[in-house]
mmCIF file of all heavy atoms in Angstrom:
data_model
loop_
_atom_site.group_PDB
_atom_site.id
_atom_site.type_symbol
_atom_site.label_atom_id
_atom_site.label_comp_id
_atom_site.label_asym_id
_atom_site.label_seq_id
_atom_site.Cartn_x
_atom_site.Cartn_y
_atom_site.Cartn_z
ATOM 1 N N TYR Y 35 -21.469 60.116 53.016
ATOM 2 C CA TYR Y 35 -20.987 59.971 54.384
ATOM 3 C C TYR Y 35 -19.818 58.979 54.401
ATOM 4 O O TYR Y 35 -19.734 58.091 53.559
ATOM 5 C CB TYR Y 35 -22.075 59.389 55.296
ATOM 6 C CG TYR Y 35 -23.198 60.333 55.627
ATOM 7 C CD1 TYR Y 35 -24.334 60.388 54.840
ATOM 8 C CD2 TYR Y 35 -23.123 61.160 56.736
ATOM 9 C CE1 TYR Y 35 -25.376 61.256 55.153
ATOM 10 C CE2 TYR Y 35 -24.160 62.028 57.062
ATOM 11 C CZ TYR Y 35 -25.285 62.064 56.262
ATOM 12 O OH TYR Y 35 -26.306 62.923 56.585
ATOM 13 N N ARG Y 36 -18.984 59.129 55.398
ATOM 14 C CA ARG Y 36 -18.013 58.084 55.692
ATOM 15 C C ARG Y 36 -18.268 57.577 57.104
ATOM 16 O O ARG Y 36 -18.706 58.332 57.995
ATOM 17 C CB ARG Y 36 -16.572 58.573 55.533
ATOM 18 C CG ARG Y 36 -16.130 59.704 56.422
ATOM 19 C CD ARG Y 36 -14.643 60.035 56.196
ATOM 20 N NE ARG Y 36 -13.769 58.998 56.749
ATOM 21 C CZ ARG Y 36 -12.457 58.963 56.583
ATOM 22 N NH1 ARG Y 36 -11.840 59.894 55.865
ATOM 23 N NH2 ARG Y 36 -11.732 57.987 57.137
ATOM 24 N N GLN Y 37 -18.033 56.274 57.264
ATOM 25 C CA GLN Y 37 -18.265 55.644 58.552
ATOM 26 C C GLN Y 37 -16.988 54.993 59.039
ATOM 27 O O GLN Y 37 -16.448 54.102 58.380
ATOM 28 C CB GLN Y 37 -19.383 54.599 58.472
ATOM 29 C CG GLN Y 37 -19.725 53.988 59.817
ATOM 30 C CD GLN Y 37 -20.946 53.079 59.753
ATOM 31 O OE1 GLN Y 37 -21.189 52.394 58.768
ATOM 32 N NE2 GLN Y 37 -21.731 53.077 60.826
ATOM 33 N N ASP Y 38 -16.525 55.430 60.184
ATOM 34 C CA ASP Y 38 -15.334 54.884 60.817
ATOM 35 C C ASP Y 38 -15.705 54.379 62.202
ATOM 36 O O ASP Y 38 -16.597 54.930 62.855
ATOM 37 C CB ASP Y 38 -14.253 55.958 60.925
ATOM 38 C CG ASP Y 38 -13.887 56.538 59.579
ATOM 39 O OD1 ASP Y 38 -13.320 55.788 58.762
ATOM 40 O OD2 ASP Y 38 -14.205 57.714 59.317
ATOM 41 N N GLY Y 42 -19.335 57.100 64.159
ATOM 42 C CA GLY Y 42 -20.633 57.293 63.541
ATOM 43 C C GLY Y 42 -20.526 57.589 62.057
ATOM 44 O O GLY Y 42 -19.570 57.191 61.384
ATOM 45 N N LEU Y 43 -21.486 58.312 61.567
ATOM 46 C CA LEU Y 43 -21.547 58.686 60.155
ATOM 47 C C LEU Y 43 -21.214 60.166 60.048
ATOM 48 O O LEU Y 43 -21.903 61.004 60.621
ATOM 49 C CB LEU Y 43 -22.949 58.414 59.601
ATOM 50 C CG LEU Y 43 -23.306 56.937 59.495
ATOM 51 C CD1 LEU Y 43 -24.792 56.724 59.676
ATOM 52 C CD2 LEU Y 43 -22.869 56.398 58.143
ATOM 53 N N ARG Y 44 -20.179 60.491 59.307
ATOM 54 C CA ARG Y 44 -19.772 61.890 59.169
ATOM 55 C C ARG Y 44 -20.011 62.344 57.737
ATOM 56 O O ARG Y 44 -19.617 61.669 56.781
ATOM 57 C CB ARG Y 44 -18.311 62.062 59.563
ATOM 58 C CG ARG Y 44 -18.062 61.827 61.059
ATOM 59 C CD ARG Y 44 -16.622 62.099 61.425
ATOM 60 N NE ARG Y 44 -15.717 61.132 60.813
ATOM 61 C CZ ARG Y 44 -14.397 61.258 60.792
ATOM 62 N NH1 ARG Y 44 -13.821 62.334 61.306
ATOM 63 N NH2 ARG Y 44 -13.654 60.321 60.229
ATOM 64 N N ILE Y 46 -19.591 64.162 54.362
ATOM 65 C CA ILE Y 46 -18.473 64.652 53.556
ATOM 66 C C ILE Y 46 -18.954 65.839 52.703
ATOM 67 O O ILE Y 46 -18.419 66.937 52.789
ATOM 68 C CB ILE Y 46 -17.915 63.546 52.649
ATOM 69 C CG1 ILE Y 46 -17.516 62.321 53.473
ATOM 70 C CG2 ILE Y 46 -16.712 64.061 51.853
ATOM 71 C CD1 ILE Y 46 -17.163 61.099 52.626
ATOM 72 N N VAL Y 60 -16.388 66.805 56.941
ATOM 73 C CA VAL Y 60 -15.049 66.303 56.615
ATOM 74 C C VAL Y 60 -14.802 66.310 55.111
ATOM 75 O O VAL Y 60 -14.583 65.277 54.487
ATOM 76 C CB VAL Y 60 -14.839 64.884 57.210
ATOM 77 C CG1 VAL Y 60 -14.714 64.935 58.711
ATOM 78 C CG2 VAL Y 60 -15.973 63.951 56.793
ATOM 79 N N TYR Y 64 -11.661 65.386 49.157
ATOM 80 C CA TYR Y 64 -12.759 64.875 48.332
ATOM 81 C C TYR Y 64 -13.324 65.969 47.442
ATOM 82 O O TYR Y 64 -13.285 67.143 47.785
ATOM 83 C CB TYR Y 64 -13.894 64.338 49.212
ATOM 84 C CG TYR Y 64 -13.496 63.308 50.226
ATOM 85 C CD1 TYR Y 64 -13.197 63.684 51.541
ATOM 86 C CD2 TYR Y 64 -13.432 61.961 49.903
ATOM 87 C CE1 TYR Y 64 -12.839 62.748 52.490
ATOM 88 C CE2 TYR Y 64 -13.084 61.009 50.847
ATOM 89 C CZ TYR Y 64 -12.787 61.415 52.135
ATOM 90 O OH TYR Y 64 -12.434 60.485 53.080
ATOM 91 N N SER Y 84 -5.591 57.657 55.430
ATOM 92 C CA SER Y 84 -6.626 58.188 56.329
ATOM 93 C C SER Y 84 -8.017 58.150 55.696
ATOM 94 O O SER Y 84 -9.025 58.345 56.400
ATOM 95 C CB SER Y 84 -6.290 59.622 56.739
ATOM 96 O OG SER Y 84 -6.227 60.456 55.583
ATOM 97 N N GLN Y 85 -8.070 57.895 54.408
ATOM 98 C CA GLN Y 85 -9.360 57.800 53.724
ATOM 99 C C GLN Y 85 -9.889 56.370 53.664
ATOM 100 O O GLN Y 85 -10.949 56.123 53.072
ATOM 101 C CB GLN Y 85 -9.259 58.409 52.322
ATOM 102 C CG GLN Y 85 -9.001 59.906 52.364
ATOM 103 C CD GLN Y 85 -8.839 60.521 50.989
ATOM 104 O OE1 GLN Y 85 -8.004 60.074 50.185
ATOM 105 N NE2 GLN Y 85 -9.630 61.545 50.693
ATOM 106 N N THR Y 86 -9.174 55.460 54.283
ATOM 107 C CA THR Y 86 -9.693 54.096 54.448
ATOM 108 C C THR Y 86 -10.936 54.167 55.317
ATOM 109 O O THR Y 86 -10.902 54.686 56.438
ATOM 110 C CB THR Y 86 -8.628 53.201 55.111
ATOM 111 O OG1 THR Y 86 -7.538 53.033 54.215
ATOM 112 C CG2 THR Y 86 -9.211 51.843 55.471
ATOM 113 N N SER Y 87 -12.051 53.687 54.792
ATOM 114 C CA SER Y 87 -13.329 53.851 55.473
ATOM 115 C C SER Y 87 -14.407 53.109 54.703
ATOM 116 O O SER Y 87 -14.165 52.552 53.625
ATOM 117 C CB SER Y 87 -13.680 55.348 55.568
ATOM 118 O OG SER Y 87 -14.819 55.563 56.381
ATOM 119 N N VAL Y 88 -15.612 53.120 55.262
ATOM 120 C CA VAL Y 88 -16.790 52.679 54.522
ATOM 121 C C VAL Y 88 -17.557 53.935 54.115
ATOM 122 O O VAL Y 88 -17.853 54.780 54.969
ATOM 123 C CB VAL Y 88 -17.687 51.750 55.354
ATOM 124 C CG1 VAL Y 88 -18.914 51.345 54.548
ATOM 125 C CG2 VAL Y 88 -16.906 50.517 55.804
ATOM 126 N N TYR Y 89 -17.851 54.048 52.836
ATOM 127 C CA TYR Y 89 -18.530 55.227 52.310
ATOM 128 C C TYR Y 89 -19.976 54.880 51.963
ATOM 129 O O TYR Y 89 -20.252 53.875 51.320
ATOM 130 C CB TYR Y 89 -17.808 55.743 51.062
ATOM 131 C CG TYR Y 89 -16.451 56.313 51.392
ATOM 132 C CD1 TYR Y 89 -15.335 55.489 51.504
ATOM 133 C CD2 TYR Y 89 -16.297 57.680 51.617
ATOM 134 C CE1 TYR Y 89 -14.092 56.010 51.827
ATOM 135 C CE2 TYR Y 89 -15.059 58.212 51.937
ATOM 136 C CZ TYR Y 89 -13.963 57.372 52.051
ATOM 137 O OH TYR Y 89 -12.737 57.895 52.374
#
Side-chain angles (χ1 to χ4, degrees):
Chain Y
Y35 288 91
R36 61 177 288 173
Q37 184 173 35
D38 302 293
L43 291 150
R44 293 184 293 169
I46 304 171
V60 289
Y64 306 95
S84 61
Q85 294 178 306
T86 293
S87 188
V88 179
Y89 292 84

